[in-house]
Amino acid sequence: MVRKPRHVVKISRRTIVAGAAILLTARAVARPAIAELAGERSRSFQEAYARIVGDRTPEAGAFTMELPELAENGNMVLFKLSAESPMTEAEHVRALHLLSTQNPQGHVATFKLSLLSGAARVSGRMRLAKTQDVVALAELSDGRILMASSTVQVTIGGCGI
Amino acid sequence: MAKPRIKVPEAAKAGDVIEIRAIIQHPMETGNRKDANGQIVPRQIIHTFVAKFAGQVFFEGAFGPGISSNPSFAIPLKVPGPGQLELTWVDDEGVTTVETVTLNVTGG
């Protein structure tokens, strides 16, 4: 007797990719306030965060961070930061910051942009010592700060971070 | 530091926003690792990255040990016209690596 699977759901690769992209984006945008981050936050992270933010309150906005939900190797995790901005003298993104809440050092990178950048985006590879929230901040020309965050499950932590 | 690799589009028009990809070989030693004798391996990372086009700085990166070894970035540039792209990496030992690429700018 041949057993047939009870439920056959056809999901194309494209659907999965699109769905994952929506999930990632939605999550990054939906959590504006630092107080809402569930995970632990190191002292080093809090200092780096305070240095950038000062007495301002980060907002959610047209700013996304793409990270994998699951990283098998914490030594090399692809990140992509992207803020919507015309990048004109009147309205541009001055800098993008990438922070780790649980690496030994909270400040991972600061990227200063200019009008010649033409777009407010950057991508690269980061280390994550263990499962944690990653926080990104975008400093706007009008003084506001946008924030995005994402939780990454790390299988094998970046050794020696 | 080993010779970096820079990837730019084969041709671009003035006004286009292009993506520049750059990678350089570097251990990005974090300063938190111990060697076989239990001694801390000193931090040795690229802490600064600067991108200039036609002599003008348009992108600067400041890094901690949380950037992966062999740092690789993709950054945008709104091409103002013909010119040379110059990328600079500086590490903790004071080694500065500079690499240039002339952009093929057509029309525009």
Side-chain angles (χ1 to χ4, degrees):
Chain A
M1 184 178 140
V2 178
R3 298 182 97 187
K4 286 185 179 174
R6 282 183 194 163
H7 306 286
V8 178
V9 182
K10 282 192 179 173
I11 302 174
S12 71
R13 186 183 164 274
R14 180 164 298 192
T15 310
I16 293 171
V17 171
I22 289 165
L23 270 178
L24 276 176
T25 309
R27 194 164 61 180
V29 172
R31 298 201 306 189
I34 194 73
E36 291 173 21
L37 285 180
E40 282 178 49
R41 307 193 293 272
S42 71
R43 176 178 288 267
S44 173
F45 165 80
Q46 292 182 40
E47 285 169 1
Y49 178 85
R51 252 195 322 272
I52 296 162
V53 171
D55 55 4
R56 297 175 284 187
T57 304
E59 308 162 28
F63 177 44
T64 58
M65 170 165 57
E66 285 179 43
L67 278 168
E69 287 195 35
L70 178 75
E72 285 188 10
N73 180 359
N75 278 311
M76 204 165 276
V77 183
L78 205 67
F79 66 85
K80 194 170 181 181
L81 309 180
S82 179
E84 274 178 38
S85 171
M87 294 303 279
T88 59
E89 184 62 50
E91 188 183 351
H92 57 274
V93 178
R94 289 185 202 283
L96 301 172
H97 304 271
L98 184 62
L99 304 177
S100 146
T101 54
Q102 289 190 60
N103 280 1
Q105 192 169 331
H107 179 258
V108 175
T110 289
F111 306 101
K112 283 188 193 165
L113 306 172
S114 70
L115 303 189
L116 258 188
S117 297
R121 60 169 189 257
V122 64
S123 61
R125 302 181 301 202
M126 72 185 298
R127 289 171 167 148
L128 290 173
K130 54 179 165 174
T131 295
Q132 60 181 286
D133 293 323
V134 177
V135 173
L137 299 165
E139 281 190 84
L140 310 185
S141 53
D142 63 7
R144 289 186 302 138
I145 291 196
L146 304 181
M147 179 173 144
S149 70
S150 190
T151 308
V152 183
Q153 304 285 329
V154 178
T155 313
I156 303 167
C159 82
I161 292 177
Chain B
M1 282 187 269
K3 189 175 165 67
R5 275 182 292 149
I6 302 175
K7 205 171 152 192
V8 296
E10 283 182 16
K13 287 196 192 77
D16 281 357
V17 177
I18 63 165
E19 191 170 73
I20 296 157
R21 290 180 170 274
I23 185 166
I24 187 165
Q25 282 186 10
H26 199 279
M28 295 296 279
E29 187 62 58
T30 62
N32 299 320
R33 233 162 43 88
K34 287 180 181 167
D35 64 17
N37 301 321
Q39 299 295 310
I40 295 272
V41 181
R43 193 185 98 151
Q44 157 56 341
I45 67 167
I46 291 172
H47 51 75
T48 302
F49 170 71
V50 179
K52 285 185 195 177
F53 188 75
Q56 193 181 342
V57 174
F58 67 92
F59 182 94
E60 285 175 89
F63 311 135
I67 290 295
S68 302
S69 57
N70 305 328
S72 164
F73 297 101
I75 63 172
L77 166 69
K78 188 172 184 180
V79 178
Q84 195 176 54
L85 178 70
E86 181 187 297
L87 305 185
T88 304
W89 294 259
V90 188
D91 76 7
D92 283 334
E93 289 177 355
V95 176
T96 298
T97 305
V98 182
E99 184 77 1
T100 57
V101 175
T102 300
L103 214 57
N104 177 20
V105 180
T106 59

